[in-house]
Amino acid sequence: FGVICCLLSVVCFFTFRLAQPYLFAKPNLLDLTLNQKVVDNWKQLKSFDDPTGGFPPSVQWITTKSYLFPLKNMLLWGLGLPLGITAVLAVLYQVLCITYYVLKRKTYLILNTYYLILVLALLWVLLLFFYQGSQFVKALRYFYPIYPFLALLSAYFLAQCYYRLRKYKPKISLFFVLCFLFSVLIYPISFLSVYSRPHTRVAASEWIYQNIPSGSIRSSEVWDDGLPLSLPTPGFIHEKYPAVEFPLYYPDNADKWQEMILRLQKVDYIILTSNRLYGSIMTVPQKYPITNRYYQMLFDGSLGFEKIADFTSRPNFPLPFFKISLTPPFARYGFNKSHAVCYAYIGYQTAYLKAHYPTEFMTGLLNADAGDVERAAFLSSECAKMGIKILPPDVNKSWSSFTPGDHTI
């Protein structure tokens, strides 16, 4: 057992060392000196974990309860109720089994090769859940690493239930399997149904172009995307509607609301593209008392604006005669599975562009980070590695920004 642990430790070390090269300052595999830039980035990210700080995305976590909040999200959104409840029961079952073996001095059963896999899976689930569940930020995506192991524990637990049912109630065992499979599939199919309908922001943008006069002044909210989107349809460009941004995440003070009153007087339409702001701000009325009242007046109509359109696309049970939404209207902002999908999609797109259009891709990055000397130097070295030559300025050929050429910028 000790030899196996040592071998696993060595494999883990080299896997981590090779998979995370930017974490370390030097290329020597045995040199563990950390990259100071990475350490500084970690410190900056950690500084955002502050309930009293002013980082807007942190507002949503201020009132969340340790362990209970991530557990609720995993049950309702991450795994779905049928699989989520099964996973909780599976974890409790394994804890009770291990406790029983220890009390009965049957630890040799725990060290059995096959059962040891379940013990290690349980240990990983408990360690990550209790560590991450105690953090200020309890985003659902941070718990994704335990999902495969929860599935493993759940499968073992269900197998034990099935074998016992088959032994004592053979007629019920098959019915039990079919009912469980049906209930587990409801959640993923319901969420997939969202992709069978038009994207709400696209549908809302089309409605705006068709129903709101060109030149109308519309609002947007800081830290959220504005509407309408520019669409392929001729004439459907967002510049037709001047925008006024509402700084609602700023601290509630006289200056903010004097500015907000002026901006409210300018706009013809208030557009909320998500519950990102009001879904988090309204959970901390003591921090945003006036902004909280603003949203209350907006929603009850006393602010002077009337609701004229609403676009939603929620996951519903995939049965035509049984319509129940899995995400109720009062649900808070922070469904991070959609974030993870978006990030993965963007990551796939950028990887494709870098592989097939490297010159254009690096040109875009250089233009985006033109004001950051260190970043520009890093990108220049990347260009050199990729065989892309960065030419000096030429009074006869150069433009005001970086432009792509034939393996040159």
Side-chain angles (χ1 to χ4, degrees):
F1 179 75
V3 173
I4 293 175
C5 289
C6 291
L7 289 174
L8 286 174
S9 300
V10 172
V11 171
C12 289
F13 168 77
F14 282 105
T15 300
F16 182 73
R17 186 66 178 84
L18 293 171
Q20 297 286 341
Y22 294 114
L23 179 60
F24 301 94
K26 299 179 181 179
N28 187 344
L29 292 179
L30 300 179
D31 191 328
L32 301 182
T33 305
L34 296 179
N35 185 343
Q36 190 58 43
K37 290 185 178 179
V38 175
V39 175
D40 292 341
N41 286 340
W42 285 349
K43 290 179 179 179
Q44 182 185 32
L45 290 172
K46 187 62 181 176
S47 69
F48 298 151
D49 291 1
D50 183 5
T52 62
F55 187 54
S58 298
V59 173
Q60 62 179 306
W61 308 111
I62 292 177
T63 59
T64 57
K65 303 296 183 183
S66 297
Y67 310 119
L68 293 178
F69 182 81
L71 179 61
K72 181 191 73 173
N73 279 346
M74 289 175 65
L75 288 174
L76 294 178
W77 321 119
L79 297 170
L81 277 174
L83 187 56
I85 293 173
T86 302
V88 171
L89 293 175
V91 169
L92 293 176
Y93 174 74
Q94 289 301 326
V95 170
L96 290 175
C97 287
I98 292 172
T99 303
Y100 173 80
Y101 292 148
V102 171
L103 292 177
K104 294 296 183 178
R105 297 184 177 180
K106 297 182 178 181
T107 52
Y108 63 91
L109 294 175
I110 299 176
L111 298 177
N112 178 280
T113 304
Y114 297 105
Y115 199 78
L116 183 60
I117 295 173
L118 296 175
V119 174
L120 293 175
L122 176 66
L123 182 63
W124 169 245
V125 167
L126 294 177
L127 283 175
L128 190 140
F129 179 80
F130 281 105
Y131 170 77
Q132 195 60 52
S134 66
Q135 302 301 305
F136 175 68
V137 177
K138 310 170 190 68
L140 189 60
R141 60 181 176 270
Y142 297 157
F143 295 85
Y144 285 170
I146 66 174
Y147 280 25
F149 301 94
L150 286 174
L152 182 66
L153 294 172
S154 299
Y156 180 81
F157 172 70
L158 289 171
Q160 296 299 310
C161 293
Y162 171 73
Y163 292 143
R164 296 191 182 188
L165 275 175
R166 191 175 65 174
K167 182 178 180 181
Y168 298 106
K169 301 285 184 179
K171 294 182 179 179
I172 300 178
S173 59
L174 181 59
F175 178 75
F176 165 77
V177 172
L178 293 176
C179 287
F180 179 78
L181 289 176
F182 175 76
S183 63
V184 166
L185 288 174
I186 284 177
Y187 265 76
I189 294 175
S190 299
F191 275 89
L192 284 173
S193 70
V194 172
Y195 301 99
S196 67
R197 300 187 288 269
H199 195 293
T200 51
R201 296 194 179 192
V202 174
S205 298
E206 292 175 343
W207 186 92
I208 291 171
Y209 290 122
Q210 294 167 1
N211 295 277
I212 294 181
S214 177
S216 300
I217 300 177
R218 41 97 184 183
S219 76
S220 64
E221 295 184 321
V222 65
W223 279 88
D224 208 352
D225 301 318
L227 287 180
L229 304 172
S230 293
L231 301 177
T233 305
F236 282 15
I237 55 175
H238 71 272
E239 286 85 359
K240 293 172 64 175
Y241 302 97
V244 174
E245 187 177 71
F246 288 172
L248 294 168
Y249 263 139
Y250 291 9
D252 265 358
N253 53 41
D255 292 338
K256 168 184 171 178
W257 281 101
Q258 286 176 0
E259 182 63 26
M260 272 295 298
I261 290 171
L262 295 175
R263 298 189 183 193
L264 279 168
Q265 292 172 347
K266 291 179 181 179
V267 300
D268 301 308
Y269 296 89
I270 292 179
I271 299 177
L272 306 181
T273 58
S274 74
N275 62 345
R276 179 170 194 154
L277 272 78
Y278 71 80
S280 57
I281 287 175
M282 296 186 76
T283 64
V284 283
Q286 70 281 1
K287 185 178 180 71
Y288 292 99
I290 307 175
T291 308
N292 188 67
R293 180 59 183 154
Y294 158 78
Y295 277 121
Q296 290 175 347
M297 294 176 66
L298 176 63
F299 295 145
D300 65 24
S302 60
L303 190 65
F305 289 84
E306 179 185 355
K307 183 177 178 179
I308 57 173
D310 186 14
F311 296 85
T312 58
S313 181
R314 304 181 187 280
N316 299 314
F317 283 113
L319 297 175
F321 54 88
F322 195 68
K323 294 184 178 180
I324 295 182
S325 173
L326 296 183
T327 55
F330 56 81
R332 293 179 56 176
Y333 166 73
F335 300 121
N336 295 288
K337 184 175 290 186
S338 61
H339 275 191
V341 172
C342 293
Y343 295 155
Y345 185 60
I346 293 172
Y348 174 82
Q349 287 180 318
T350 52
Y352 179 87
L353 290 173
K354 185 175 183 180
H356 296 279
Y357 302 94
T359 305
E360 291 80 0
F361 178 76
M362 296 307 296
T363 301
L365 290 181
L366 284 166
N367 283 323
D369 295 315
D372 188 335
V373 177
E374 289 189 3
R375 177 67 174 168
F378 170 76
L379 293 174
S380 298
S381 65
E382 284 292 303
C383 288
K385 293 177 183 177
M386 297 167 65
I388 301 172
K389 188 175 181 180
I390 300 180
L391 302 176
D394 188 321
V395 70
N396 296 313
K397 297 180 180 179
S398 297
W399 295 82
S400 59
S401 59
F402 293 98
T403 54
D406 185 12
H407 293 288
T408 60
I409 298 177

